[in-house]
Amino acid sequence: MATETLTLGKALNTGLRRALENDPKVVIMGEDVGKLGGVFRITDGLQKDFGDQRVIDTPLAESGIIGTAVGLAIRGYRPVCEIQFDGFVYPAYDQIVSQVAKMHYRSRGKLNIPMVIRIPFGGGIGAVEHHSESPEAYFAHTAGLKVVSCANPQDAYVMIQQAIASDDPIVFLEPKRRYWEKGQVDLDAPISEAYPLHSARVARAGADVTLLAYGPMVRTCLDAATAAAEDGRELEIIDLRTLSPLDLGVVYESVRRTGRAVVVHEAPSNVGLGAEIAARITEECFYSLESPVLRVAGFDTPYPAARVEEEYLPDLDRVLDAVDRTFGW
Amino acid sequence: MAKGDPGAGPRGRRAAPRSRKAVTGDPELVQLLTPEGARIDSVTGPDGVEYRVDFTDEEYRGLYRDLVLVRKLDAEATALQRQGELGIWASLLGQEAAQVGSGRALRTQDMAFPTYREHGVLYCRGIDPIMPLGLFRGVDQGGWDPNEFKFNMYTIVIGAQTLHATGYAMGVAMDGKTGTDDGEAVIAYFGDGATSQGDVNESFVWAGVFNAPLVFFCQNNQYAISEPLERQTRIPLYRRSAGFGFPGIRVDGNDVLATYAVTRHALDNARHGQGPSLIEAYTYRMGAHTTSDDPTRYRIASEVEAWQAKDPIARMKAFLEREKIADAGFFTEIDEQARREAVDLRERVLAMPNPEPTTLFDHVYPNGSPLLDEQRAQFSRYLESFEGSAH
Ligand SMILES: Cc1ncc(C[n+]2csc(CCOP(=O)(O)OP(=O)(O)O)c2C)c(N)n1
């Protein structure tokens, strides 16, 4: 077993490399993905090794990146598009929700758009505005798209390859503030059997409260669990991994056991994924619940200036506070 | 020219010139057939290219047949909408020459990306004319196979398909399918209003930068619903391409011969690796934007009359008569064929069933989705709960 310690960013890079090696139809496209290797260096070295027809520096036009990728997909390619930052996906929003998501349905299955749209998302890196957003609910709301997010290097490595191999169009959300976090990566992990792409994972087992998170908040919740353990509380952390479709079996099973659930995400709470998850848990696990499903989320404001982002972002204390509150009913 | 034979066209030999004296046209508007039906032998465009066509008599008659059939089928669809059989219809009346000329210029291997009015191109691609009616009737979203017919889905969001065409054309180049006579080319259709869209401008940038084997075919029918051309542009549209670094040309879109010649040339350039070009087919939408539109609110009758005098079918007919390429028997026969096909279309549209309710869950994802499966199952149970009840 070839296991290496990699950062999440490097794990993505390695996964992309594998995908390029394994399938000549895979092409990577985006702004600055070539020589520069992307502003986060996720595509570092790929153009050098695969050439500028496989790793394409595009004009600065987001709708163009996604729209031409649709045409490439119709032609038989598997485009992996990089959107430089979450806040710049909106110019491409129409192509994603009106074209990418609907092409298969509209053609009654005659056209596939096996596209991956990689978006570094979320805050916590002290960036200027438009560089820290969490747009997942927009995409999760759109039928025809699948939305996933990785939270650790191993998942980053496997999930990016699974997403590329999938015929479904996939919005792939990368927790940008976790790019530099290291972990063990099994480079031989098979992408077909390791676990299905659309499956949640118990990131830490616990008996008292279920915490549901994805992307950057998984780490936060794990840290909260460590802190809670010192107070004698066992938090179970579920890394959702797939936001659309949600893998609810794992969620229901856990909540039925613990009787308490807290959803944690950076995106604003209003009409966010937390609302969806809470509603579904309520429908399915009503008689097992000891307390209402709570949400810990970003505020319903635009993402704020960097000097106050620590206030905006759910942190250990807010998570633990919510955990406490679930015991107040 | 048989239906479904997009490859028919000049055989690369010179036909005997029909007019005694060579007539050359206006380079600002490539025209090979005057509104009166007089042939212009050749015209040298502002791009220095000499445009001409060399059709056999049979091919000229074939083009005429295409024009008449396409107009008739369109008229039938309009009538069907009026009778409540279609939810809406976007008529191509007046744009037959632009569509048949460009559609017949496509070779079998070429790929087309239409908007929602390209029924004439669809017909030239050999697709059953009933196909777009399913979309407008609301029983499906367009039932043809884009890869089989090399004609993509209709696109309602204005301009979106120009990017798809660009990407597809990039793929053609990446596949090494350009640079030879049997190379592939791609054509993207859009309207004058679409030229204001970001996507169209982005696709100009991309196609230029990547030297994509692509022909942008703008049917300037003078209006975007109610808004006249002046609301979209201050310069002639074909000149836009200069700013993106590729050639642009304006053709008389009511002249099927010129449209054919110009499109064939641009497609051949593309397939030979010479990159994109923009064609502005200068034409007029004779009817309403769609059956929901009231054009009397924004345009005057005299304008419509002026364009009536440039009718694409009348001029082709005048030419065929003048040159004795077709006789009265031919015209009667074509009209009769058109009538029969329209009746057939009508009967088939009326027989188009509604889809089964649960099919609305089909083809959302190639790999399916557990949540959707659950929803479909719930909905099926719900429907079954009515069975046998007098709901
Ligand atoms: C993005 C977008 N905005 C608005 C509309 C509504 N709409 C449908 S057709 C149309 C006018 C299009 O004009 P043009 O591009 O000239 O094409 P034409 O219909 O005249 O062939 C408008 C505004 C649309 N379909 N898509």
Side-chain angles (χ1 to χ4, degrees), chain B residues 55-77:
Chain B
F55 287 118
T56 63
D57 288 355
E58 184 54 33
E59 286 165 342
Y60 281 126
R61 285 190 293 264
L63 284 172
Y64 177 80
R65 182 192 304 117
D66 291 341
L67 294 171
V68 172
L69 285 180
V70 162
R71 175 170 294 187
K72 180 69 177 177
L73 294 170
D74 179 75
E76 193 60 33

PDB file of all heavy atoms in Angstrom, chain B residues 55-77:
ATOM      1  N   PHE B  55     -24.924  25.158 -59.638  1.00  0.00           N
ATOM      2  CA  PHE B  55     -25.879  24.083 -59.383  1.00  0.00           C
ATOM      3  C   PHE B  55     -26.392  23.504 -60.691  1.00  0.00           C
ATOM      4  O   PHE B  55     -26.496  24.216 -61.702  1.00  0.00           O
ATOM      5  CB  PHE B  55     -27.081  24.608 -58.583  1.00  0.00           C
ATOM      6  CG  PHE B  55     -26.763  24.901 -57.143  1.00  0.00           C
ATOM      7  CD1 PHE B  55     -26.883  26.189 -56.633  1.00  0.00           C
ATOM      8  CD2 PHE B  55     -26.366  23.881 -56.276  1.00  0.00           C
ATOM      9  CE1 PHE B  55     -26.609  26.459 -55.304  1.00  0.00           C
ATOM     10  CE2 PHE B  55     -26.088  24.141 -54.945  1.00  0.00           C
ATOM     11  CZ  PHE B  55     -26.205  25.432 -54.456  1.00  0.00           C
ATOM     12  N   THR B  56     -26.747  22.259 -60.662  1.00  0.00           N
ATOM     13  CA  THR B  56     -27.462  21.686 -61.799  1.00  0.00           C
ATOM     14  C   THR B  56     -28.917  22.145 -61.700  1.00  0.00           C
ATOM     15  O   THR B  56     -29.369  22.612 -60.644  1.00  0.00           O
ATOM     16  CB  THR B  56     -27.437  20.148 -61.735  1.00  0.00           C
ATOM     17  OG1 THR B  56     -28.134  19.739 -60.556  1.00  0.00           O
ATOM     18  CG2 THR B  56     -26.012  19.613 -61.703  1.00  0.00           C
ATOM     19  N   ASP B  57     -29.638  21.994 -62.775  1.00  0.00           N
ATOM     20  CA  ASP B  57     -31.054  22.377 -62.752  1.00  0.00           C
ATOM     21  C   ASP B  57     -31.796  21.614 -61.673  1.00  0.00           C
ATOM     22  O   ASP B  57     -32.653  22.150 -60.975  1.00  0.00           O
ATOM     23  CB  ASP B  57     -31.692  22.101 -64.128  1.00  0.00           C
ATOM     24  CG  ASP B  57     -31.192  23.102 -65.174  1.00  0.00           C
ATOM     25  OD1 ASP B  57     -30.450  24.043 -64.793  1.00  0.00           O
ATOM     26  OD2 ASP B  57     -31.527  22.925 -66.356  1.00  0.00           O
ATOM     27  N   GLU B  58     -31.449  20.344 -61.554  1.00  0.00           N
ATOM     28  CA  GLU B  58     -32.086  19.511 -60.540  1.00  0.00           C
ATOM     29  C   GLU B  58     -31.836  20.080 -59.131  1.00  0.00           C
ATOM     30  O   GLU B  58     -32.735  20.110 -58.288  1.00  0.00           O
ATOM     31  CB  GLU B  58     -31.518  18.083 -60.662  1.00  0.00           C
ATOM     32  CG  GLU B  58     -32.137  17.054 -59.741  1.00  0.00           C
ATOM     33  CD  GLU B  58     -33.662  16.984 -59.858  1.00  0.00           C
ATOM     34  OE1 GLU B  58     -34.186  17.208 -60.976  1.00  0.00           O
ATOM     35  OE2 GLU B  58     -34.316  16.744 -58.827  1.00  0.00           O
ATOM     36  N   GLU B  59     -30.630  20.545 -58.921  1.00  0.00           N
ATOM     37  CA  GLU B  59     -30.304  21.101 -57.608  1.00  0.00           C
ATOM     38  C   GLU B  59     -31.044  22.419 -57.359  1.00  0.00           C
ATOM     39  O   GLU B  59     -31.493  22.691 -56.247  1.00  0.00           O
ATOM     40  CB  GLU B  59     -28.790  21.278 -57.475  1.00  0.00           C
ATOM     41  CG  GLU B  59     -28.072  19.945 -57.273  1.00  0.00           C
ATOM     42  CD  GLU B  59     -26.570  20.024 -57.487  1.00  0.00           C
ATOM     43  OE1 GLU B  59     -26.088  21.001 -58.123  1.00  0.00           O
ATOM     44  OE2 GLU B  59     -25.873  19.111 -57.018  1.00  0.00           O
ATOM     45  N   TYR B  60     -31.155  23.236 -58.399  1.00  0.00           N
ATOM     46  CA  TYR B  60     -31.932  24.467 -58.234  1.00  0.00           C
ATOM     47  C   TYR B  60     -33.369  24.138 -57.856  1.00  0.00           C
ATOM     48  O   TYR B  60     -33.965  24.737 -56.965  1.00  0.00           O
ATOM     49  CB  TYR B  60     -31.936  25.280 -59.540  1.00  0.00           C
ATOM     50  CG  TYR B  60     -30.668  26.072 -59.791  1.00  0.00           C
ATOM     51  CD1 TYR B  60     -29.961  25.934 -60.992  1.00  0.00           C
ATOM     52  CD2 TYR B  60     -30.200  26.991 -58.851  1.00  0.00           C
ATOM     53  CE1 TYR B  60     -28.815  26.670 -61.245  1.00  0.00           C
ATOM     54  CE2 TYR B  60     -29.047  27.735 -59.096  1.00  0.00           C
ATOM     55  CZ  TYR B  60     -28.358  27.565 -60.283  1.00  0.00           C
ATOM     56  OH  TYR B  60     -27.228  28.293 -60.525  1.00  0.00           O
ATOM     57  N   ARG B  61     -33.916  23.152 -58.540  1.00  0.00           N
ATOM     58  CA  ARG B  61     -35.300  22.766 -58.232  1.00  0.00           C
ATOM     59  C   ARG B  61     -35.389  22.203 -56.809  1.00  0.00           C
ATOM     60  O   ARG B  61     -36.360  22.438 -56.101  1.00  0.00           O
ATOM     61  CB  ARG B  61     -35.801  21.725 -59.251  1.00  0.00           C
ATOM     62  CG  ARG B  61     -36.129  22.334 -60.612  1.00  0.00           C
ATOM     63  CD  ARG B  61     -36.856  21.343 -61.511  1.00  0.00           C
ATOM     64  NE  ARG B  61     -36.027  20.211 -61.912  1.00  0.00           N
ATOM     65  CZ  ARG B  61     -35.354  20.136 -63.067  1.00  0.00           C
ATOM     66  NH1 ARG B  61     -35.421  21.122 -63.950  1.00  0.00           N
ATOM     67  NH2 ARG B  61     -34.625  19.066 -63.341  1.00  0.00           N
ATOM     68  N   GLY B  62     -34.346  21.479 -56.420  1.00  0.00           N
ATOM     69  CA  GLY B  62     -34.317  20.922 -55.066  1.00  0.00           C
ATOM     70  C   GLY B  62     -34.345  22.011 -54.004  1.00  0.00           C
ATOM     71  O   GLY B  62     -35.061  21.906 -53.000  1.00  0.00           O
ATOM     72  N   LEU B  63     -33.587  23.050 -54.228  1.00  0.00           N
ATOM     73  CA  LEU B  63     -33.577  24.155 -53.262  1.00  0.00           C
ATOM     74  C   LEU B  63     -34.954  24.803 -53.184  1.00  0.00           C
ATOM     75  O   LEU B  63     -35.435  25.161 -52.112  1.00  0.00           O
ATOM     76  CB  LEU B  63     -32.527  25.205 -53.665  1.00  0.00           C
ATOM     77  CG  LEU B  63     -31.076  24.825 -53.377  1.00  0.00           C
ATOM     78  CD1 LEU B  63     -30.128  25.856 -53.994  1.00  0.00           C
ATOM     79  CD2 LEU B  63     -30.824  24.728 -51.867  1.00  0.00           C
ATOM     80  N   TYR B  64     -35.573  24.948 -54.342  1.00  0.00           N
ATOM     81  CA  TYR B  64     -36.911  25.543 -54.351  1.00  0.00           C
ATOM     82  C   TYR B  64     -37.879  24.660 -53.562  1.00  0.00           C
ATOM     83  O   TYR B  64     -38.666  25.144 -52.749  1.00  0.00           O
ATOM     84  CB  TYR B  64     -37.397  25.721 -55.797  1.00  0.00           C
ATOM     85  CG  TYR B  64     -38.799  26.268 -55.864  1.00  0.00           C
ATOM     86  CD1 TYR B  64     -39.043  27.634 -55.695  1.00  0.00           C
ATOM     87  CD2 TYR B  64     -39.892  25.417 -56.066  1.00  0.00           C
ATOM     88  CE1 TYR B  64     -40.342  28.132 -55.719  1.00  0.00           C
ATOM     89  CE2 TYR B  64     -41.186  25.909 -56.096  1.00  0.00           C
ATOM     90  CZ  TYR B  64     -41.403  27.266 -55.923  1.00  0.00           C
ATOM     91  OH  TYR B  64     -42.686  27.767 -55.944  1.00  0.00           O
ATOM     92  N   ARG B  65     -37.776  23.359 -53.794  1.00  0.00           N
ATOM     93  CA  ARG B  65     -38.660  22.437 -53.074  1.00  0.00           C
ATOM     94  C   ARG B  65     -38.454  22.580 -51.563  1.00  0.00           C
ATOM     95  O   ARG B  65     -39.412  22.663 -50.795  1.00  0.00           O
ATOM     96  CB  ARG B  65     -38.394  20.993 -53.500  1.00  0.00           C
ATOM     97  CG  ARG B  65     -39.327  19.992 -52.799  1.00  0.00           C
ATOM     98  CD  ARG B  65     -38.907  18.543 -52.973  1.00  0.00           C
ATOM     99  NE  ARG B  65     -38.789  18.146 -54.365  1.00  0.00           N
ATOM    100  CZ  ARG B  65     -37.658  17.752 -54.943  1.00  0.00           C
ATOM    101  NH1 ARG B  65     -36.544  17.696 -54.239  1.00  0.00           N
ATOM    102  NH2 ARG B  65     -37.635  17.403 -56.204  1.00  0.00           N
ATOM    103  N   ASP B  66     -37.194  22.640 -51.144  1.00  0.00           N
ATOM    104  CA  ASP B  66     -36.901  22.810 -49.712  1.00  0.00           C
ATOM    105  C   ASP B  66     -37.586  24.058 -49.160  1.00  0.00           C
ATOM    106  O   ASP B  66     -38.204  24.028 -48.092  1.00  0.00           O
ATOM    107  CB  ASP B  66     -35.394  22.964 -49.490  1.00  0.00           C
ATOM    108  CG  ASP B  66     -34.632  21.682 -49.771  1.00  0.00           C
ATOM    109  OD1 ASP B  66     -35.262  20.605 -49.775  1.00  0.00           O
ATOM    110  OD2 ASP B  66     -33.410  21.772 -49.994  1.00  0.00           O
ATOM    111  N   LEU B  67     -37.429  25.157 -49.893  1.00  0.00           N
ATOM    112  CA  LEU B  67     -37.988  26.424 -49.407  1.00  0.00           C
ATOM    113  C   LEU B  67     -39.498  26.316 -49.238  1.00  0.00           C
ATOM    114  O   LEU B  67     -40.059  26.737 -48.222  1.00  0.00           O
ATOM    115  CB  LEU B  67     -37.656  27.558 -50.392  1.00  0.00           C
ATOM    116  CG  LEU B  67     -36.184  27.946 -50.535  1.00  0.00           C
ATOM    117  CD1 LEU B  67     -36.005  28.927 -51.706  1.00  0.00           C
ATOM    118  CD2 LEU B  67     -35.656  28.575 -49.247  1.00  0.00           C
ATOM    119  N   VAL B  68     -40.143  25.745 -50.234  1.00  0.00           N
ATOM    120  CA  VAL B  68     -41.604  25.666 -50.203  1.00  0.00           C
ATOM    121  C   VAL B  68     -42.066  24.731 -49.087  1.00  0.00           C
ATOM    122  O   VAL B  68     -42.987  25.054 -48.329  1.00  0.00           O
ATOM    123  CB  VAL B  68     -42.151  25.203 -51.569  1.00  0.00           C
ATOM    124  CG1 VAL B  68     -43.651  24.924 -51.483  1.00  0.00           C
ATOM    125  CG2 VAL B  68     -41.862  26.261 -52.633  1.00  0.00           C
ATOM    126  N   LEU B  69     -41.416  23.595 -48.976  1.00  0.00           N
ATOM    127  CA  LEU B  69     -41.822  22.630 -47.944  1.00  0.00           C
ATOM    128  C   LEU B  69     -41.637  23.209 -46.551  1.00  0.00           C
ATOM    129  O   LEU B  69     -42.513  23.094 -45.688  1.00  0.00           O
ATOM    130  CB  LEU B  69     -41.011  21.335 -48.077  1.00  0.00           C
ATOM    131  CG  LEU B  69     -41.413  20.431 -49.246  1.00  0.00           C
ATOM    132  CD1 LEU B  69     -40.540  19.187 -49.274  1.00  0.00           C
ATOM    133  CD2 LEU B  69     -42.881  20.038 -49.154  1.00  0.00           C
ATOM    134  N   VAL B  70     -40.511  23.837 -46.348  1.00  0.00           N
ATOM    135  CA  VAL B  70     -40.218  24.399 -45.028  1.00  0.00           C
ATOM    136  C   VAL B  70     -41.250  25.479 -44.684  1.00  0.00           C
ATOM    137  O   VAL B  70     -41.768  25.539 -43.563  1.00  0.00           O
ATOM    138  CB  VAL B  70     -38.770  24.942 -45.008  1.00  0.00           C
ATOM    139  CG1 VAL B  70     -38.565  25.898 -43.865  1.00  0.00           C
ATOM    140  CG2 VAL B  70     -37.780  23.784 -44.917  1.00  0.00           C
ATOM    141  N   ARG B  71     -41.588  26.299 -45.653  1.00  0.00           N
ATOM    142  CA  ARG B  71     -42.582  27.342 -45.371  1.00  0.00           C
ATOM    143  C   ARG B  71     -43.944  26.725 -45.069  1.00  0.00           C
ATOM    144  O   ARG B  71     -44.661  27.162 -44.174  1.00  0.00           O
ATOM    145  CB  ARG B  71     -42.701  28.309 -46.557  1.00  0.00           C
ATOM    146  CG  ARG B  71     -43.812  29.332 -46.354  1.00  0.00           C
ATOM    147  CD  ARG B  71     -43.821  30.439 -47.363  1.00  0.00           C
ATOM    148  NE  ARG B  71     -42.623  31.291 -47.238  1.00  0.00           N
ATOM    149  CZ  ARG B  71     -42.452  32.414 -47.925  1.00  0.00           C
ATOM    150  NH1 ARG B  71     -43.353  32.838 -48.783  1.00  0.00           N
ATOM    151  NH2 ARG B  71     -41.347  33.125 -47.752  1.00  0.00           N
ATOM    152  N   LYS B  72     -44.273  25.705 -45.814  1.00  0.00           N
ATOM    153  CA  LYS B  72     -45.586  25.093 -45.633  1.00  0.00           C
ATOM    154  C   LYS B  72     -45.693  24.419 -44.263  1.00  0.00           C
ATOM    155  O   LYS B  72     -46.697  24.548 -43.560  1.00  0.00           O
ATOM    156  CB  LYS B  72     -45.827  24.067 -46.750  1.00  0.00           C
ATOM    157  CG  LYS B  72     -47.154  23.367 -46.678  1.00  0.00           C
ATOM    158  CD  LYS B  72     -48.298  24.317 -46.985  1.00  0.00           C
ATOM    159  CE  LYS B  72     -49.634  23.568 -46.981  1.00  0.00           C
ATOM    160  NZ  LYS B  72     -50.747  24.515 -47.199  1.00  0.00           N
ATOM    161  N   LEU B  73     -44.640  23.703 -43.894  1.00  0.00           N
ATOM    162  CA  LEU B  73     -44.663  23.017 -42.599  1.00  0.00           C
ATOM    163  C   LEU B  73     -44.728  24.032 -41.464  1.00  0.00           C
ATOM    164  O   LEU B  73     -45.427  23.835 -40.460  1.00  0.00           O
ATOM    165  CB  LEU B  73     -43.426  22.119 -42.454  1.00  0.00           C
ATOM    166  CG  LEU B  73     -43.387  20.934 -43.442  1.00  0.00           C
ATOM    167  CD1 LEU B  73     -42.022  20.240 -43.399  1.00  0.00           C
ATOM    168  CD2 LEU B  73     -44.505  19.939 -43.158  1.00  0.00           C
ATOM    169  N   ASP B  74     -44.041  25.134 -41.653  1.00  0.00           N
ATOM    170  CA  ASP B  74     -44.069  26.201 -40.650  1.00  0.00           C
ATOM    171  C   ASP B  74     -45.472  26.793 -40.538  1.00  0.00           C
ATOM    172  O   ASP B  74     -45.971  27.031 -39.441  1.00  0.00           O
ATOM    173  CB  ASP B  74     -43.047  27.274 -41.059  1.00  0.00           C
ATOM    174  CG  ASP B  74     -43.012  28.442 -40.097  1.00  0.00           C
ATOM    175  OD1 ASP B  74     -42.462  28.279 -38.996  1.00  0.00           O
ATOM    176  OD2 ASP B  74     -43.546  29.520 -40.447  1.00  0.00           O
ATOM    177  N   ALA B  75     -46.102  26.996 -41.696  1.00  0.00           N
ATOM    178  CA  ALA B  75     -47.459  27.556 -41.693  1.00  0.00           C
ATOM    179  C   ALA B  75     -48.418  26.591 -40.997  1.00  0.00           C
ATOM    180  O   ALA B  75     -49.324  27.004 -40.261  1.00  0.00           O
ATOM    181  CB  ALA B  75     -47.918  27.829 -43.122  1.00  0.00           C
ATOM    182  N   GLU B  76     -48.202  25.327 -41.227  1.00  0.00           N
ATOM    183  CA  GLU B  76     -49.067  24.322 -40.608  1.00  0.00           C
ATOM    184  C   GLU B  76     -48.906  24.356 -39.085  1.00  0.00           C
ATOM    185  O   GLU B  76     -49.889  24.271 -38.339  1.00  0.00           O
ATOM    186  CB  GLU B  76     -48.714  22.937 -41.158  1.00  0.00           C
ATOM    187  CG  GLU B  76     -49.715  21.865 -40.831  1.00  0.00           C
ATOM    188  CD  GLU B  76     -51.114  22.143 -41.377  1.00  0.00           C
ATOM    189  OE1 GLU B  76     -51.217  22.762 -42.484  1.00  0.00           O
ATOM    190  OE2 GLU B  76     -52.100  21.787 -40.717  1.00  0.00           O
ATOM    191  N   ALA B  77     -47.662  24.505 -38.644  1.00  0.00           N
ATOM    192  CA  ALA B  77     -47.406  24.573 -37.204  1.00  0.00           C
ATOM    193  C   ALA B  77     -48.080  25.808 -36.607  1.00  0.00           C
ATOM    194  O   ALA B  77     -48.662  25.755 -35.520  1.00  0.00           O
ATOM    195  CB  ALA B  77     -45.910  24.584 -36.929  1.00  0.00           C
TER     196      ALA B  77
END
